Amino acid sequence: MISLLFAMDKNRVIGKDHTLPWYLPNDLKFFKRLTTSQTIIMGRKTFDSMNGPLPNRNNIVITHDQSFTHPDCKVIHNIEDIQKLNQEQPNQEWFVIGGEEIFRQVLDFADRIYMTYIDASFEGDTFFPTFDGSNWEMTDKQMGVTDEKNKYDHYFITYDRKK
């Protein structure tokens, strides 16, 4: 199963200057809970913004740069490789975590979306692409706890592609 995992604000912002424009510990915990001991797939710019591979996960970096290597990551060079991985291991969940261009390319064949929706507006330069909601069914929606550390109203929403 190919799943997209991201947080976005009410204007579809997912990033600014290669970082998250908000601090929301609940979202970080959600991300960690879903991806620990799993495989995450990201574009090279997203990988660079994290200062290395995330621990306790299989990290896959997708890049057009044929010379790119990293000792702690698998490297793939085209979007079709994600589909091949999924065909070879269909019982595994593959978490695509960004960035914008990777989301745009994978959205058409992803099976699931895990979205943290932040009910606020932020300045950003990276956006989640618009998508046809008629192709998706909301299967879960949980309101996150707002407190002194998590200052923004937010929701953890899961969509599954309609069959």
Side-chain angles (χ1 to χ4, degrees), residues 10-128:
K10 58 173 59 178
N11 298 311
R12 308 187 86 71
V13 169
I14 60 173
K16 178 165 176 32
D17 298 328
H18 304 288
T19 190
L20 296 175
W22 50 75
Y23 178 65
L24 193 63
N26 286 346
D27 177 53
L28 300 175
K29 289 176 190 164
F30 179 71
F31 180 92
K32 184 175 182 179
R33 180 176 59 80
L34 284 176
T35 62
T36 296
S37 301
Q38 300 294 323
T39 299
I40 56 174
I41 302 170
M42 71 210 87
R44 190 211 27 90
K45 291 178 196 171
T46 298
F47 177 73
D48 288 348
S49 74
M50 298 185 319
N51 299 314
L54 292 180
N56 304 312
R57 295 161 188 85
N58 296 318
N59 290 255
I60 298 177
V61 177
I62 183 166
T63 177
H64 293 297
D65 180 355
Q66 297 292 323
S67 65
F68 178 85
T69 61
H70 192 284
D72 299 317
C73 298
K74 178 181 173 99
V75 178
I76 59 177
H77 298 289
N78 61 63
I79 292 297
E80 292 76 25
D81 289 341
I82 298 171
Q83 292 172 296
K84 288 178 192 169
L85 289 167
N86 190 48
Q87 289 167 352
E88 292 166 4
Q89 297 177 54
N91 295 326
Q92 178 169 335
E93 189 163 13
W94 306 91
F95 289 93
V96 177
I97 63 167
E100 178 178 354
E101 187 57 33
I102 303 302
F103 285 140
R104 188 176 318 290
Q105 293 180 51
V106 176
L107 185 58
D108 287 339
F109 60 84
D111 302 296
R112 180 170 286 164
I113 294 173
Y114 295 102
M115 172 196 309
T116 300
Y117 177 80
I118 303 168
D119 195 12
S121 296
F122 297 86
E123 188 177 324
D125 55 20
T126 312
F127 300 85
F128 192 80

